[in-house]
Structures are given as structure tokens and as C-alpha cells.
Amino acid sequence: MKALVYHGPNHKSWEEVPDPKIVNPTDVIVQVDTTTICGSDLHILKGDVPTVTDGRILGHEGVGTITEVGSAVGKLVVGDRVIISCITSCGSCSYCDQQLFSHCLNNGWIIGHLIDGTQAEYVRIPFAESSLHKLPAGLSDEAAVMLSDILPTGFEIGVRNGRVKPGDVVAVVGSGPVGLSAMMTAGLYGASRIIAIDLDENRLTQARTFGATDSVNSGSAGWMDELMAMTDGLGVDVAIEAVGIPQTFGMATEIVRPGGTVANVGVHGTSVELKLQDLWIKDIAITTGLVSTSTTPMLLKLVAQGKLTPEKFASHRFTFDAIMDAYDTFSRAAETKALKVIITR
Ligand code: NAD
Ligand code: ZN
């Protein structure tokens, strides 16, 4: 089969590799119908994730069709169409018992990281029964593939960890796919105002169609006054950080009001200062987390009912043999206005 293979920092190729095989009885093999590229894939390609080694097939998002099942798999059969979660989990360890699948003692985030991923014609999925979700009839691949990672990430690590309640004013720092997912789902808990923050005007315009009621360009000198004017001068109830750099984490801690919550979603690659000397008095909570995808079944119901429309993230479309162009388009998102690139077989 063909797959997108990582060959060390700044090297990747779409090349012929051996087909995946069932290794454990709980595995299945999925023929990938639709996949996409994540910001983390770009981080891997820069060499920021040293646990990814030369020869690894990238990708942890996808929708596909089961072509083979291991001997212990009962609930899934050949021909089932499934959503692949970025997190695979054994379903029976102490963290899985708490629905904290990202910390599964036997899996977690491993596909496209420690084992081969979904940017390939076929992929092996471990612990398939507890890691795959059957695709409800009528749901498009383009909507479903957003449930592999971005939608549960924005909801679980942004909105839910941020403890958004009815009436809250929520600000999301960073209006990329993950920040936009938080905006799309903050309304589920009754946020009264959802303020998108970014440096990119195009992303701020897009944010209005993903649930943001207001937007602030943090590149402008008066951005903080502008934001405070939207919040009766006190700051926001919930500040969601969805960029992953020290500056934006600092911004989130500055705009949150006393008693509020900062929910950090961004993946930080460098040391970040926590100004406890200023924050100790604010009565705030700071949360962190890696998506568990435990809310995927709930989100799927809302998508199936048309209450959430994640297919809106699909901005560009490619076939597998043009995956290098898909990477090029996605990596120049500021110029190409890409949100999520859809890659199909
Ligand atoms: P992205 O790069 O597409 O979007 C980031 C946005 O932040 C861009 O629109 C960019 O213009 C904006 N930005 C950059 N610098 C800024 C600044 N100084 N001020 C304001 N805005 C700024 O990223 P994404 O795919 O949306 O992911 C967001 C973050 O979430 C990343 O760090 C990613 O690694 C992380 N993530 C976390 C989890 C998790 O489980 N915690 C899962 C997936 C992704
Ligand atoms: Zn587990």
C-alpha cells in the first residue's frame, strides 16, 4: 500500500510500504476512506516530537471501512464504517475506568506517533472495540473526521475543563481548528458571549461562523481595552488557550476575571512562566489536559441531529496521491486560508 512516511525532521514521502497486519487479537485493519492533517503532524515534521522515529506513518484522524478483524473482536465486523479516534484505549485499565482514555496504561495517543497512522491506504487499530466509533447512517465523512481529534479536543479540554456555565463570557485565544471547535461547542453549556482572539483577520472572520459572537485582533495595541469593554471591565469567566505559546498562555491568565477558569488546550514545546506572584490572589483555576475522546459518542449524536456542523471545517480537498500538496496547503494556512484539508482515497 501507499502511505505518508516520516523520515526525520523536514523529510516525508508518499511511498510504497508493507500492508498492516493484525498483531493482537483485539486489532482490526481499516481501509482509510478519509483522513486529514493536524497541527501536530506539522510539529512532528519539524522534529518537535522526538518520540516519532524515522519510518513512521503519520496521521491520527480518519474515517474508514473495516477490512479485517482480530479473533477477539466481536462487536465490529468487516464492512463496518468507523471513525478512528486519535486516542486508542484498552477500555479496562484504571484510567480507562475513569474515562481518561488519553492516559490509558496500554495505549493513549499512539497512532501516527508510536505506531503507524492513518495517512495511509490501510491502518491497524489496536483495541478496536474500545477505540473505534461506528459511523451513524447519513453522516458525511467530512463531518465525521472532525470527531477524530479537533471537536472533542475543543470541547473536553477547552469548554468542559473550563467549566463553562449558562451566562458565562468565554474568550478563546487562538482561532485555529481547535479554538474554533471550542467556540462551536461553548454554546452547548450556555455561554452568553464567545469572544474569538487571533492575529489573523481571516481566522477571526471565520470564527463568526463557528459560534463566536465577538472577535478581537490581539495584534492591535488596544486589544485588551477592547476585550474588557465586552466584559463589563472585569474580564472573562473562562479563558481558553488554544495556541500553545508562552505569550498566549499569559494573555489567558490576564483576561480571566477573579473566580474564573483558564483552560489550557495548547501543546507547549517550551517552558512557560506561571506568574503566581500576580495570580495567587485571583481565585482562578487553571486546567490542563490531553483529549480523551470520551465525549465522541455524545458529540456524534449532536452532529447526527444537525445541532453541530463540523463539516464546515473542510476547506480544501485532495486525493491520497496529492497528499504532498495537501501538506503544502495546510502548512501555509495563513496564505491559503486552510482550516482542515480533506484527503480521500
Ligand atoms: P493552529 O496553529 O491551526 O491555530 C493556532 C491559531 O493561533 C492560529 O489561527 C494563529 O493565527 C493563532 N495565533 C498564533 N499566535 C498567536 C498570538 N500570539 N495571539 C493570538 N493568536 C495567535 O492550531 P490548532 O490546530 O487549532 O491547535 C491549537 C493548539 O491545540 C495547538 O497547540 C495544538 O497542538 C493543540 N492541541 C491540543 C490537544 C490537547 O489534547 N490538549 C489536542 C490537539 C491539539
Ligand atoms: Zn486503558
Side-chain angles (χ1 to χ4, degrees):
M1 69 164 184
K2 288 208 138 176
L4 194 283
V5 183
Y6 171 72
H7 287 301
N10 304 312
H11 293 287
K12 63 178 181 306
S13 74
W14 176 246
E15 63 188 44
E16 195 64 35
V17 295
D19 287 355
K21 291 190 170 55
I22 299 275
V23 177
N24 297 308
T26 48
D27 292 346
V28 304
I29 304 295
V30 177
Q31 180 172 30
V32 180
D33 298 317
T34 301
T35 185
T36 177
I37 305 172
C38 176
S40 334
D41 298 321
L42 301 183
H43 278 300
I44 293 170
L45 280 164
K46 276 193 229 145
D48 293 347
V49 190
T51 40
V52 181
T53 50
D54 186 352
R56 178 66 60 232
I57 298 171
L58 299 185
H60 51 263
E61 295 158 282
V63 174
T65 310
I66 295 179
T67 55
E68 212 181 323
V69 298
S71 58
V73 175
K75 286 192 230 160
L76 296 165
V77 297
V78 169
D80 278 350
R81 299 209 65 233
V82 290
I83 300 170
I84 300 165
S85 276
C86 60
I87 303 294
T88 53
S89 54
C90 74
S92 55
C93 72
S94 56
Y95 290 118
C96 284
D97 282 347
Q98 299 172 49
Q99 299 263 302
L100 215 50
F101 303 131
S102 52
H103 293 276
C104 172
L105 294 168
N106 300 303
N107 262 223
W109 177 41
I110 66 163
I111 53 174
H113 175 205
L114 306 178
I115 66 168
D116 287 334
T118 55
Q119 290 165 13
E121 291 177 303
Y122 295 87
V123 60
R124 176 179 74 91
I125 302 296
F127 297 115
E129 287 187 353
S130 44
S131 305
L132 294 173
H133 302 273
K134 281 196 205 180
L135 194 71
L139 204 70
S140 71
D141 282 25
E142 292 194 359
V145 77
M146 306 309 167
L147 286 137
S148 290
D149 181 346
I150 60 166
L151 204 64
T153 296
F155 178 64
E156 293 174 15
I157 311 303
V159 174
R160 209 176 53 166
N161 280 4
R163 299 180 289 192
V164 175
K165 344 178 263 312
D168 275 359
V169 177
V170 177
V172 183
V173 188
S175 305
V178 170
L180 294 172
S181 294
M183 296 175 211
M184 184 178 260
T185 53
L188 296 174
Y189 285 153
S192 64
R193 220 161 168 173
I194 300 169
I195 306 168
I197 303 178
D198 208 288
L199 298 169
D200 179 348
E201 274 303 326
N202 163 55
R203 288 253 159 119
L204 291 174
T205 306
Q206 305 247 37
R208 301 286 186 137
T209 66
F210 284 85
T213 56
D214 302 271
S215 62
V216 172
N217 190 321
S218 58
S220 74
W223 76 270
M224 184 71 130
D225 293 339
E226 213 182 307
L227 182 117
M228 286 299 164
M230 292 171 185
T231 69
D232 59 22
L234 301 177
V236 300
D237 297 291
V238 180
I240 296 172
E241 197 287 341
V243 186
I245 59 173
Q247 186 196 357
T248 46
F249 179 76
M251 286 163 63
T253 63
E254 283 162 24
I255 62 178
V256 71
R257 69 171 68 193
T261 306
V262 173
N264 182 83
V265 188
V267 173
H268 293 271
T270 61
S271 172
V272 182
E273 190 186 1
L274 179 65
K275 292 187 179 157
L276 221 42
Q277 66 278 23
D278 301 328
L279 297 174
W280 70 270
I281 201 169
K282 274 185 95 170
D283 275 286
I284 58 165
I286 298 174
T287 65
T288 69
L290 170 64
V291 64
S292 266
T293 65
S294 58
T295 62
T296 301
M298 182 280 285
L299 293 169
L300 257 178
K301 286 187 205 165
L302 295 175
V303 175
Q305 288 303 313
K307 302 239 192 285
L308 294 172
T309 50
E311 61 275 17
K312 282 200 292 209
F313 282 102
S315 62
H316 294 74
R317 289 165 186 83
F318 300 87
T319 51
F320 266 132
D321 52 9
I323 195 166
M324 300 299 257
D325 298 333
Y327 263 94
D328 178 62
T329 299
F330 185 68
S331 62
R332 294 185 296 112
E335 289 159 66
T336 60
K337 304 192 172 170
L339 278 180
K340 288 296 268 185
V341 296
I342 298 292
I343 302 155
T344 50
R345 75 185 166 86

